[in-house]
Amino acid sequence: MVRTRKNWPKCPGVLIRGRIFRQSDLVLIRDIIRRHPTWGRTKISQRVCKTLCWHQANGFPKDRACRIALVRLEQAGYLDLPPPRRCNSGGKPPSIHTAHEHAFPGPVVQEMPRAIEFRCVSTAAEARLWNSTIARYHYLGSVWPVGRLIRYLLYAEEELVGAMSFTNATWSSEARSIALTSIGLDSSPAPEFVVSNNRFLLLPNVRVKNLASHVLSKAIRHVRVDWYSRYRYSPLLAETFVDPARFSGTSYLAANWLHIGMTKGYSKRGQRHYRNHQRKMILLRGICPQVHQRLHAIYGASNGR
């Protein structure tokens, strides 16, 4: 539907995601929306980034930040966006294929492997194996996250022993915002310099003491390199959320992650948040050593360190 509204409010300048949107910017954005009535929000944000020269330091467009900004501008009454084309935040879930036979638990592993290999998922076959392994053995199952994603298959002497993944930071967390502010970093929603460890799994046949914390420590080094290789910038922090009804977070704490607080017990479905009373532990780990030192100086004592 072509938008013909003319009585838009004047914009004195709105700061969103580190950029000031002025009246002239809004005129350009409205014109893009008006001239392309069949476009969805993603394509609109990509064109807006190109028109406004809004790019990351690596030259990639800031399309995710732009989509957030467009929604906020619409909420403030400065724009009319087309409706979202997906009814949930995770998009279309991946099809779950039957795991290859070596994804099923093999013989019990009881000794610490000499080395853990992190294989970054890069082929369709690896993606199917990762999806089916997580779907079968992780209590949260497999999802299709929005935004950036790096998945790993974990091998010990060519035997699959686990899987994990990192995505963009979650949208909002009061405890995280307080922590970021305390160490002098931007506490805006979904900060791009934070990655989220949204899945971590060791297969049920792997019963090696301290292996989980060993893998989590190595994962920080791998994601720093691989995130830069794929997206051309290095994250500063990693976050994760632990359900205390199921786990104590011991492996994360042993890997020098820091417990900074609890969630408020809300979950997101589509564009809304619902109170489910399932509060989770929030843990942060500095990927950049200097950032972790600043974080540890504030939260280390409360974590018994």
Side-chain angles (χ1 to χ4, degrees), residues 256-260 282-284 292 295-296 299-300 303 305:
N256 215 13
W257 290 63
L258 297 168
H259 181 204
I260 64 163
I282 307 171
L283 295 99
L284 288 182
H292 187 71
L295 192 69
H296 189 275
Y299 290 96
N303 280 260
R305 296 185 180 87

Side-chain angles (χ1 to χ4, degrees), residues 156-176:
E157 300 175 2
E158 296 302 315
E159 289 294 325
L160 184 70
V161 295
M164 68 189 311
S165 62
F166 290 85
T167 67
N168 289 119
T170 54
W171 170 252
S172 178
S173 165
E174 181 178 347
R176 184 187 65 199

Side-chain angles (χ1 to χ4, degrees), residues 31-82:
D31 187 57
I32 291 171
I33 297 171
R34 179 185 57 80
R35 289 187 291 107
H36 302 284
T38 62
W39 282 9
R41 297 185 177 193
T42 297
K43 197 164 185 179
I44 289 171
S45 69
Q46 292 169 347
R47 177 59 63 87
V48 169
C49 286
K50 182 177 181 181
T51 302
L52 300 184
C53 299
W54 197 12
H55 300 96
Q56 303 173 38
N58 58 19
F60 287 17
K62 284 195 170 184
D63 55 314
R64 186 168 184 261
C66 185
R67 287 196 294 277
I68 293 170
L70 292 178
V71 170
R72 291 194 188 175
L73 290 169
E74 182 183 43
Q75 291 170 345
Y78 293 120
L79 298 174
D80 278 338
L81 292 171

